Amino acid sequence: KVSIIPVREALRLLQSEGLVLSVAHVGATVAPISRASVVEVFTLLEGLEVVAARVAAERATATDFENLAGFVAEMDRALEAGSPLHWADINTRFHLAISRLADMPLLHDMTQRAVDYWDRVRRFYFRDVLIHRTRLAQTEHRAMLVQMEARDIPALEQTVREHNRGALAAYMAHLEGSSDHDKRERHA
């Protein structure tokens, strides 16, 4: 009992965000997650997060660092409790909090959009990729926090780059492994 107009508008919005594909004479379908889109999201996140972390480190107060440390501690507890999905949600909040600390609305909006897309990738591949990176990612989060507090910008930027590139490498290795598995299945 919904008019076609709001449905079309919703589909157009989803299409503009790359979540839906419209196929002529067929209809709408969920957009696939491609290798190129995984590379794109991590490339964008790396650039956005390097800028956000640098500016946040320069502007953050002791209270801001306490709040970030609270996210890291909460992620530690989630891992100890065997709740990697909860860890992933806090991880998102941690990265967005750093972006918010930069106090650059456009940067934060762009980061939010990239994180939303990454969240779709994360949910799709969570069991195969992210769950295996949580401990290493947590070590990187702790390093980021220490480097931000010390205002060690070169080390912080390097850690943020390694954090994003490590995640990208894990996703790409999984995708390559899946591709090899698919090829073997077809030839069997």
Side-chain angles (χ1 to χ4, degrees):
K1 296 185 179 186
V2 175
S3 166
I4 192 72
I5 294 171
V7 172
R8 281 188 189 146
E9 286 302 313
L11 287 172
R12 279 190 205 126
L13 177 62
L14 291 170
Q15 185 177 4
S16 75
E17 293 182 7
L19 299 173
V20 167
L21 296 176
S22 289
V23 180
H25 309 294
V26 175
T29 184
V30 174
I33 297 174
S34 67
R35 283 178 173 77
S37 64
V38 172
V39 170
E40 181 181 14
V41 76
F42 280 105
T43 301
L44 288 171
L45 278 172
E46 179 182 327
L48 293 167
E49 289 189 330
V50 164
V51 172
R54 180 181 61 239
V55 175
E58 293 167 351
R59 294 181 177 180
T61 65
T63 301
D64 295 329
F65 292 129
E66 286 174 22
N67 290 335
L68 291 175
F71 285 119
V72 172
E74 192 177 350
M75 285 186 279
D76 284 336
R77 287 190 296 275
L79 288 179
E80 289 168 14
S83 300
L85 288 173
H86 183 56
W87 176 90
D89 291 337
I90 304 162
N91 174 56
T92 298
R93 292 181 13 232
F94 172 76
H95 286 278
L96 289 174
I98 292 172
S99 174
R100 202 172 294 109
L101 284 175
D103 196 26
M104 299 172 76
L106 183 57
L107 174 70
H108 182 67
D109 288 346
M110 293 170 76
T111 302
Q112 177 71 61
R113 186 164 180 184
V115 165
D116 288 345
Y117 191 86
W118 172 78
D119 193 51
R120 178 175 176 238
V121 170
R122 171 182 68 89
R123 289 180 191 281
F124 188 77
Y125 293 113
F126 184 80
R127 284 193 175 89
D128 299 320
V129 179
L130 187 62
I131 199 166
H132 304 292
R133 268 199 47 82
T134 54
R135 299 278 177 200
L136 177 57
Q138 198 57 8
T139 299
E140 293 163 344
H141 292 147
R142 283 189 213 93
M144 283 185 238
L145 184 57
V146 167
Q147 293 158 351
M148 285 180 76
E149 286 184 283
R151 302 194 199 295
D152 185 350
I153 304 304
L156 174 62
E157 289 180 350
Q158 184 60 34
T159 300
V160 171
R161 282 187 187 93
E162 289 171 2
H163 185 65
N164 280 282
R165 290 175 186 176
L168 173 59
Y171 282 97
M172 295 312 288
H174 172 72
L175 290 171
E176 290 305 317
S178 294
S179 176
D180 292 344
H181 176 73
D182 292 345
K183 287 176 191 170
R184 286 190 301 273
E185 295 259 324
R186 277 183 258 148
H187 292 286

